[in-house]
Amino acid sequence: MANLAQIQEIFWSLVDPWQFMYLAASWFPGTVVRLIRDRKFGVLFSPSQLKDIWFSNFWDWFSPNLRQNAGVRVIPLLEGRTTGGLIVEEPIGPGIGGTVLELGAGNGNWVDIFSDKHLQSSQTDGVAATAEGSSGIEATEATATTTATHRGGGGGGEKKEAKKKSAREPVTRVWGVEPNRDQHAGLRRKIKQAGLEGVYEIVPVGIEDLNNPAKWDGQVEKGSVDCIVSILCLCSIPEPRDNIRELYSYLKKGGRWYVYEHVRRDEGWAMRAYQGFVNLFWPHFLGGCQLCRPTEQWLREAGPWEKVDVGHPLEEQWHHTLPHILGVFTK
């Protein structure tokens, strides 16, 4: 039966990207109907605009699921609790803080992780255990609550000192890069909900224009950024190698790039070929997302790094069509 279970796991892993494309496609008819109802006929005859709106509608609906699933990796990453693609209990490096450049902000799926409220909740222990002789550990990665162990004995309770579960520092400024203006309404709502008005600023241009005040009402100075955060977005940026190199120039000396991205599968010719085949269709359904980018290689080549601590999550076995890298590049 174990072999049958493994076969089923492999089968559904290979089928999964096709199911996801089908799910995205199911939003296309509704998008067309809405555009007709709103008399936006010009958009219907513009393939690029139609794709953008279709994908925005789908992503607005799906992104909370992504937040829940990816949060178990992203939150520890931003707290300084990853090494070699693995999540560890206590910080082994610095977390995010200072001036942050968030790439692919979208509709604000990750906005709240930059708030002081999240900082406070991730650095204080809220777990209480009163049962005699018990040890309670409660870890909820998606909400970044911290854990501690309490033991009681002989009718009394002795509380151990809480361990610090986050190395985060206060975030003073966030530049949220999102050139797709169809996402801005949702992004502004999330900024307001997180209490980050005046801290989080939407950058409505591409990476190539971050330092160009003629293109938008603002400017990000090169060498001024403490942290770059990229969560599942480098797969869809244009001219990725050049733009990754450009982004490197915005980091301060000692600045850190926190990355959680799916990447090209490099091992196993059969899976490389299968991933390439899926990628013939995938970008058309998922907003231009590309499966076969050697993103880790391009990040390593962007410039000299003082430290690189990235890896693949262990649970992603050879049959995963979308393998990820998780970790931190330090300039």
Side-chain angles (χ1 to χ4, degrees), residues 111-112 114-116 174 191-200:
V111 162
D112 69 286
F114 303 112
S115 70
D116 284 345
V174 185
I191 293 169
K192 184 175 181 179
Q193 290 169 6
L196 288 173
E197 293 168 302
V199 174
Y200 193 111

Side-chain angles (χ1 to χ4, degrees), residues 244-276:
I244 287 173
R245 190 180 298 114
E246 177 73 3
L247 285 165
Y248 175 89
S249 68
Y250 284 90
L251 278 175
K252 296 177 180 177
K253 177 65 176 176
R256 302 173 300 281
W257 191 327
Y258 296 81
V259 58
Y260 178 59
E261 299 283 351
H262 66 76
V263 296
R264 182 181 68 188
R265 181 163 287 287
D266 290 325
E267 69 280 0
W269 68 267
M271 278 305 301
R272 288 202 307 270
Y274 181 69
Q275 188 188 53

Side-chain angles (χ1 to χ4, degrees), residues 22-64:
Y22 174 79
L23 189 62
S26 69
W27 281 80
F28 184 78
T31 298
V32 172
V33 170
R34 186 181 302 177
L35 290 171
I36 293 174
R37 183 189 62 201
D38 295 341
R39 299 182 179 276
K40 296 181 179 180
F41 302 114
V43 177
L44 293 173
F45 296 99
S46 172
S48 61
Q49 291 185 59
L50 179 57
K51 280 187 176 182
D52 283 346
I53 294 176
W54 164 29
F55 180 70
S56 293
N57 290 339
F58 165 67
W59 204 246
D60 284 345
W61 171 79
F62 178 76
S63 59

Side-chain angles (χ1 to χ4, degrees), residues 119-129 136-138 144-150 159-165:
L119 172 69
Q120 293 162 1
S121 67
S122 67
Q123 291 187 331
T124 57
D125 175 25
V127 180
I137 297 180
E138 179 179 300
T145 55
T146 60
T147 64
T149 302
H150 303 270
K159 182 177 179 180
K160 289 189 175 182
E161 183 179 353
K163 294 180 179 179
K164 187 176 180 181
K165 306 300 289 187

Side-chain angles (χ1 to χ4, degrees), residues 262-315:
H262 66 76
V263 296
R264 182 181 68 188
R265 181 163 287 287
D266 290 325
E267 69 280 0
W269 68 267
M271 278 305 301
R272 288 202 307 270
Y274 181 69
Q275 188 188 53
F277 176 69
V278 174
N279 196 55
L280 294 175
F281 307 92
W282 182 270
H284 302 290
F285 292 86
L286 276 304
C289 171
Q290 298 286 334
L291 297 182
C292 302
R293 287 184 171 178
T295 303
E296 181 179 350
Q297 175 187 330
W298 291 340
L299 283 163
R300 288 179 179 272
E301 295 172 350
W305 299 103
E306 179 181 320
K307 181 181 179 182
V308 175
D309 187 354
V310 298
H312 297 276
L314 284 180
E315 60 270 25

Side-chain angles (χ1 to χ4, degrees), residues 40-247:
K40 296 181 179 180
F41 302 114
V43 177
L44 293 173
F45 296 99
S46 172
S48 61
Q49 291 185 59
L50 179 57
K51 280 187 176 182
D52 283 346
I53 294 176
W54 164 29
F55 180 70
S56 293
N57 290 339
F58 165 67
W59 204 246
D60 284 345
W61 171 79
F62 178 76
S63 59
N65 298 292
L66 175 70
R67 168 63 189 262
Q68 182 177 359
N69 294 331
V72 297
R73 294 174 180 171
V74 172
I75 300 301
L77 169 68
L78 303 185
E79 291 178 343
R81 297 194 294 111
T82 64
T83 182
L86 303 178
I87 297 169
V88 294
E89 283 296 315
E90 297 182 38
I92 61 171
I96 60 168
T99 299
V100 178
L101 186 65
E102 184 192 12
L103 305 179
N107 63 358
N109 201 37
W110 300 99
V111 162
D112 69 286
I113 64 177
F114 303 112
S115 70
D116 284 345
K117 181 184 294 185
H118 181 86
L119 172 69
Q120 293 162 1
S121 67
S122 67
Q123 291 187 331
T124 57
D125 175 25
V127 180
T130 57
E132 181 176 344
S134 69
S135 173
I137 297 180
E138 179 179 300
T140 308
E141 302 287 0
T143 55
T145 55
T146 60
T147 64
T149 302
H150 303 270
R151 294 184 182 273
E158 179 183 354
K159 182 177 179 180
K160 289 189 175 182
E161 183 179 353
K163 294 180 179 179
K164 187 176 180 181
K165 306 300 289 187
S166 174
R168 284 193 50 174
E169 298 293 337
V171 172
T172 56
R173 164 69 71 179
V174 185
W175 301 105
V177 182
E178 183 47 66
N180 184 351
R181 294 175 184 269
D182 292 323
Q183 301 274 16
H184 289 184
L187 182 53
R188 290 191 186 94
R189 286 195 298 271
K190 298 292 179 59
I191 293 169
K192 184 175 181 179
Q193 290 169 6
L196 288 173
E197 293 168 302
V199 174
Y200 193 111
E201 182 170 348
I202 299 174
V203 180
V205 296
I207 294 164
E208 67 279 3
D209 289 319
L210 293 179
N211 196 33
N212 187 353
K215 293 289 186 176
W216 64 291
D217 187 21
Q219 185 177 11
V220 183
E221 297 287 348
K222 292 192 175 183
S224 68
V225 173
D226 295 292
C227 303
I228 294 176
V229 174
S230 61
I231 304 170
L232 303 174
C233 64
L234 297 181
C235 54
S236 57
I237 64 172
E239 305 295 335
R241 179 178 289 177
D242 292 340
N243 278 322
I244 287 173
R245 190 180 298 114
E246 177 73 3
L247 285 165

